[in-house]
Amino acid sequence: MGAAELYAQMVASQKAVVIQSAVRGWLARTKYLRVRRAVVYLQCCYRRMRARRELRRLRIEAKSVEHYKQLNKGMEIKVMQLQCKVDEQARENRSLSEQLSALRASHSEEVERLLREDKAQEKRIRELQEQLQRVESEKSCSEGRLGQEMEELKQVQGTGRGDS
């Protein structure tokens, strides 16, 4: 082999090294890009999964918030109804209290009037009992005198018959 062939072989070998190095670089870059795309894709998938979970959680939370809003709205209505009922019962209570006060006052007056009448009746009864006692004592005195007068009359009549 000659120098020219050796030179051609060295040039071919050098060119082969350059081509191999370019191909290896290209393969390394391609592999790097594929790995990078795969990593980005995995990150994307992971982030999408987290985002979906977060979205589900937010939807559930939004539903529960809506649910609570509906409950709250219902509760507000009930609170308003109960407040109206309490106000109405308070008015009714005031009215009944006023009626009770009026009834107590009239009852008190009636009791006082009846007590006065009772005292007057008791006084009248005492007076009538005293009068009855006087009348009974007068009656017994009158009966005693009548009895004496009857005895005297019988004696007078008995002596008058005996004389005739």
Side-chain angles (χ1 to χ4, degrees), residues 42-103:
L42 285 175
Q43 289 174 343
C44 180
C45 289
Y46 179 74
R47 289 177 184 149
R48 181 176 54 223
M49 181 185 70
R50 279 189 23 212
R52 283 181 179 169
R53 283 182 185 168
E54 180 70 13
L55 180 63
R56 255 187 255 123
R57 187 186 64 77
L58 289 174
R59 281 182 180 165
I60 290 170
E61 186 177 314
K63 283 181 184 178
S64 70
V65 167
E66 282 299 317
H67 178 70
Y68 283 119
K69 281 183 182 177
Q70 290 295 330
L71 287 177
N72 194 17
K73 187 175 182 181
M75 289 297 180
E76 286 176 6
I77 292 170
K78 281 189 176 187
V79 166
M80 289 171 52
Q81 289 172 343
L82 289 173
Q83 187 62 44
C84 289
K85 192 173 183 179
V86 165
D87 292 343
E88 182 181 326
Q89 286 179 348
R91 284 191 297 273
E92 186 178 337
N93 192 17
R94 277 194 296 275
S95 171
L96 290 174
S97 293
E98 291 169 2
Q99 288 177 358
L100 181 62
S101 297
L103 286 174

Side-chain angles (χ1 to χ4, degrees), residues 95-149:
S95 171
L96 290 174
S97 293
E98 291 169 2
Q99 288 177 358
L100 181 62
S101 297
L103 286 174
R104 281 183 178 163
S106 68
H107 180 261
S108 174
E109 291 171 5
E110 183 70 17
V111 166
E112 289 176 16
R113 183 185 64 79
L114 289 173
L115 286 173
R116 285 192 303 270
E117 285 180 7
D118 188 41
K119 286 180 183 178
Q121 292 292 332
E122 285 178 4
K123 184 179 178 183
R124 177 75 176 139
I125 288 171
R126 270 188 261 118
E127 290 172 357
L128 288 174
Q129 284 176 343
E130 290 172 3
Q131 187 178 4
L132 178 64
Q133 285 176 352
R134 281 194 306 268
V135 168
E136 285 177 350
S137 67
E138 285 177 17
K139 178 185 165 193
S140 63
C141 286
S142 295
E143 285 177 349
R145 272 186 271 144
L146 180 65
Q148 286 176 354
E149 286 179 8

